[in-house]
Amino acid sequence: MDAMLDPTVLQTLWFFLIAFFFLCYFVLEGFDFGVQMTVGALWRRGDGARGTILRTIGPVWDGNEVFLITGGALLFAAFPEWYATLFSGFYLALLLLLLVLIVRVCAFKWRGKVDSLRWRRAWDVVHVIGGVAPALLWGIAFGNIVAGAEIDQNHWVTTSLLGLLNPFALLAGVVFVLLFWLHGTLYLALKIDGPLRQDANRLAGLLVWPTLLAGAAFLLWFQLVHSHTPLTWIPVALAAAALAAVVGLNRARREGLAFVATVTAIAAASLTLFGGLFPYVLPATNDPANSLTVANASSTAHTLTVMLVALALFLPIVLAYTIWAYRVFRHRITDDDSPAPGSGLLEAAKRSYRSTFEQG
């Protein structure tokens, strides 16, 4: 217990707990973003197909956002200086991300509210944007976090908005888009049946190559230039191996294992970024003395201890509910599950829930 109350141990533990929440968010919400991108890729399959694609994530997308909300709240409480400094320089980018996520919620809720093809097409466009834009913005944000920014002695970020759009951060944005798109396409192949399943598998076979090349370039760039520990070569190698495995698994139509491989790749990439960033939380590129670390950006040991007790009580509930939800909605969706044109995702989810229990 004495070791747990040591400030250094608590700060390190909370850094990696926050990394865990963002890892879960990227794994779970990542395939939501990818499925929404696939709506655009398979647009010519028609309105019914687009609705079927979206129903694969209808029952779970909002639950996946819990990890972002919780992770953001924990970041604010455990490392308030990190949180404040991020918003001092990334405010416009994070505000844009928030607006995109809000409009994305409207697309899920309102698409089926009006029995009009034009109405649904308009919201399907929003769905595609709601998949690409958050992935791109998350990549740019994390690219700048791990590479560092110009920070003054008051811990204000002085890097301009255009300065945040540097080559490394833009490459990170492209990698996030491609990786989440591949992840979502494989999730779609795992969750759907019929012709759309074959389309998803073919699309995944095309996406894996640019994802593998861009991902390798980004992680190697990070590891050689920005990482603060050689230990992150291990997750780099794991991420590369997982993406390479997708090639063979996709050709063999081992959809479950291929999806597990992208889960592994996202998890390994997240460990690479957070592990390579530690012990910093935001390096200062202009003056290392102005850098934020887990030591100078954290709350008091008492606050971290109280938070740890609360998390130990509530995290098992969140994880248990998440596992239960995915178990309930685990069966494949077919074209026979298509709702009437004016019905929404909630009604489709209810039918999915009932059919699962009818099947035992």
Side-chain angles (χ1 to χ4, degrees):
M1 185 65 178
D2 291 338
M4 288 297 291
L5 295 178
D6 180 78
T8 302
V9 173
L10 285 169
Q11 291 159 355
T12 302
L13 177 60
W14 270 106
F15 176 84
F16 285 103
L17 281 172
I18 289 170
F20 168 76
F21 275 92
F22 277 97
L23 184 157
C24 291
Y25 173 71
F26 289 145
V27 167
L28 297 177
E29 192 80 308
F31 67 71
D32 290 340
F33 294 148
V35 167
Q36 289 178 282
M37 296 180 209
T38 304
V39 168
L42 301 181
W43 186 274
R44 292 185 177 181
R45 291 301 306 272
D47 176 65
R50 294 195 294 272
T52 302
I53 291 170
L54 290 171
R55 281 199 305 282
T56 62
I57 57 174
V60 296
W61 69 269
D62 48 355
N64 294 340
E65 292 188 337
V66 168
F67 289 92
L68 172 62
I69 297 169
T70 307
L74 293 176
L75 175 62
F76 172 79
F79 296 99
E81 191 78 12
W82 186 10
Y83 186 94
T85 301
L86 281 176
F87 272 91
S88 73
F90 296 16
Y91 182 80
L92 290 177
L94 294 174
L95 178 62
L96 178 59
L97 175 62
L98 178 61
L99 290 174
V100 171
L101 292 176
I102 291 173
V103 174
R104 176 173 174 264
V105 173
C106 297
F108 278 108
K109 299 295 184 180
W110 294 351
R111 181 185 188 273
K113 294 300 183 182
V114 177
D115 189 4
S116 165
L117 180 59
R118 179 177 296 180
W119 172 272
R120 291 192 297 277
R121 280 179 176 171
W123 285 113
D124 287 342
V125 172
V126 176
H127 270 295
V128 176
I129 297 171
V132 175
L136 180 65
L137 290 170
W138 276 122
I140 292 173
F142 268 84
N144 281 288
I145 289 172
V146 298
E150 294 181 0
I151 305 173
D152 64 19
Q153 64 273 19
N154 296 316
H155 288 168
W156 281 76
V157 173
T158 57
T159 303
S160 66
L161 180 60
L162 289 179
L164 297 177
L165 301 177
N166 55 79
F168 179 77
L170 291 174
L171 177 60
V174 171
V175 170
F176 271 55
V177 170
L178 289 172
L179 185 55
F180 289 165
W181 192 3
L182 174 64
H183 188 46
T185 304
L186 290 171
Y187 177 81
L188 184 61
L190 185 64
K191 286 291 295 178
I192 210 163
D193 212 349
L196 284 175
R197 178 181 177 184
Q198 303 305 318
D199 290 342
N201 277 312
R202 283 193 292 269
L203 179 59
L206 295 174
L207 285 173
V208 65
W209 292 107
T211 305
L212 182 57
L213 294 175
F218 170 69
L219 290 180
L220 286 174
W221 188 347
F222 169 74
Q223 188 65 21
L224 294 172
V225 178
H226 300 297
S227 177
H228 299 283
T229 173
L231 291 176
T232 44
W233 280 112
I234 298 173
V236 167
L238 181 59
L243 284 178
V246 172
V247 177
L249 292 170
N250 174 254
R251 288 176 177 173
R253 295 298 185 257
R254 301 296 299 274
E255 294 150 343
L257 290 176
F259 180 72
V260 170
T262 55
V263 169
T264 303
I266 293 173
S270 300
L271 288 174
T272 300
L273 295 179
F274 278 98
L277 178 62
F278 183 82
Y280 297 95
V281 294
L282 188 60
T285 57
N286 55 321
D287 185 354
N290 296 335
S291 297
L292 290 179
T293 67
V294 294
N296 66 16
S298 71
S299 295
T300 64
H302 176 74
T303 300
L304 297 178
T305 302
V306 172
M307 290 171 56
L308 191 61
V309 173
L311 185 67
L313 293 174
F314 291 104
L315 180 58
I317 298 174
V318 173
L319 294 177
Y321 172 78
T322 302
I323 294 170
W324 175 82
Y326 278 94
R327 178 171 175 77
V328 168
F329 297 106
R330 66 187 181 275
H331 72 288
R332 289 185 182 272
I333 293 175
T334 66
D335 291 338
D336 294 336
D337 298 322
S338 300
S343 62
L345 291 172
L346 178 60
E347 288 73 16
K350 289 177 179 177
R351 281 192 297 277
S352 176
Y353 182 88
R354 287 195 298 269
S355 65
T356 297
F357 283 95
E358 288 170 0
Q359 293 169 8

